[in-house]
Amino acid sequence: MGQPNSADSQPLLHQHGREIQAFGSVRQLPVGLAYETRMYSCERLNQVLADTRVLHDLYKKYHWLMRGPTFYQLHLLLDKHAGEQLELVDMVAERVQTLGGIAVGDPRHVAELTRVPRPPDGAEEVPGMLSRLLEAHEMILIDAHDAAARVADLGDDGSNDLLVSNVIRTNELQTWFVAEHLVDTPVVRA
């Protein structure tokens, strides 16, 4: 045996691979669903994914920018919701991959696909930030309800289950929690 050569353990840096699957295409995987069904499901799921990634980022931004007398409660709540949205991001992305598609991954690509309006770069008043979260939730929910019904009609029970059991239920619950912070009620006197 010869002496080890340090060049043998040198990483091969600055490599660029060729694209082996285009975004918007699906590979054939034996999942029991037709090509057209998988294409459609991946398209719908990628839209939900792009919007969910932006919602996650809004939650993190607003978690950092929270102000006022309910700072602590909202700071914690928004961080909790961000974590739950991040779980959804992973679930939806993995479903796209399971169907043979390519999950939208690059933040610049997400920005091209999302329909969630861009907020100001600075801090808004708290009710404005919470309202933006609710508008993003509603946008995702409308899309997810429609997508769930359509993929169910195509026989994609897995995508339907993910959309209903995870995306819709999580977003509905988070909507409720955020919306209750915008009710104008007396704090200490009735």
Side-chain angles (χ1 to χ4, degrees), residues 26-28 31 33-42 99:
V26 293
R27 298 178 297 140
Q28 181 59 47
V31 295
L33 293 170
Y35 170 83
E36 294 79 16
T37 297
R38 292 180 299 109
M39 279 290 292
Y40 182 78
S41 293
C42 286
L99 294 172

Side-chain angles (χ1 to χ4, degrees), residues 35-176:
Y35 170 83
E36 294 79 16
T37 297
R38 292 180 299 109
M39 279 290 292
Y40 182 78
S41 293
C42 286
E43 179 183 323
R44 294 304 300 268
L45 289 168
N46 265 320
Q47 184 62 60
V48 170
L49 178 57
D51 293 338
T52 300
R53 290 192 58 192
V54 171
L55 179 58
H56 164 264
D57 289 344
L58 286 177
Y59 266 114
K60 287 306 285 188
K61 176 182 179 171
Y62 297 158
H63 156 78
W64 299 320
L65 299 179
M66 200 42 54
R67 315 251 162 112
T70 59
F71 164 81
Y72 184 70
Q73 295 84 350
L74 282 170
H75 180 75
L76 295 179
L77 178 68
L78 300 187
D79 201 37
K80 177 182 179 289
H81 284 193
E84 293 166 355
Q85 289 296 321
L86 193 56
E87 288 179 25
L88 289 178
V89 164
D90 199 47
M91 283 188 246
V92 175
E94 288 180 354
R95 181 63 188 168
V96 171
Q97 296 300 132
T98 299
L99 294 172
I102 298 288
V104 60
D106 187 297
R108 294 162 295 193
H109 193 188
V110 169
E112 292 171 5
L113 295 180
T114 189
R115 292 174 295 181
V116 176
R118 182 176 176 167
D121 290 336
E124 289 181 277
E125 296 171 322
V126 172
M129 290 189 277
L130 297 180
S131 291
R132 283 186 189 278
L133 291 171
L134 293 174
E135 290 163 7
H137 276 296
E138 187 173 36
M139 181 178 294
I140 290 168
L141 283 164
I142 289 169
D143 190 40
H145 280 290
D146 183 67
R150 292 180 187 263
V151 299
D153 288 344
L154 295 171
D156 185 356
D157 299 324
S159 294
N160 171 271
D161 179 54
L162 171 67
L163 289 163
V164 172
S165 299
N166 300 105
V167 174
I168 292 172
R169 288 189 178 144
T170 298
N171 279 278
E172 286 176 343
L173 188 62
Q174 289 183 350
T175 296
W176 173 43

Side-chain angles (χ1 to χ4, degrees), residues 7-43:
D8 292 338
S9 67
Q10 176 61 42
L12 301 174
L13 305 174
H14 308 293
Q15 296 187 55
H16 298 275
R18 63 184 174 83
E19 185 176 72
I20 59 174
Q21 183 181 352
F23 181 81
S25 67
V26 293
R27 298 178 297 140
Q28 181 59 47
L29 293 175
V31 295
L33 293 170
Y35 170 83
E36 294 79 16
T37 297
R38 292 180 299 109
M39 279 290 292
Y40 182 78
S41 293
C42 286
E43 179 183 323

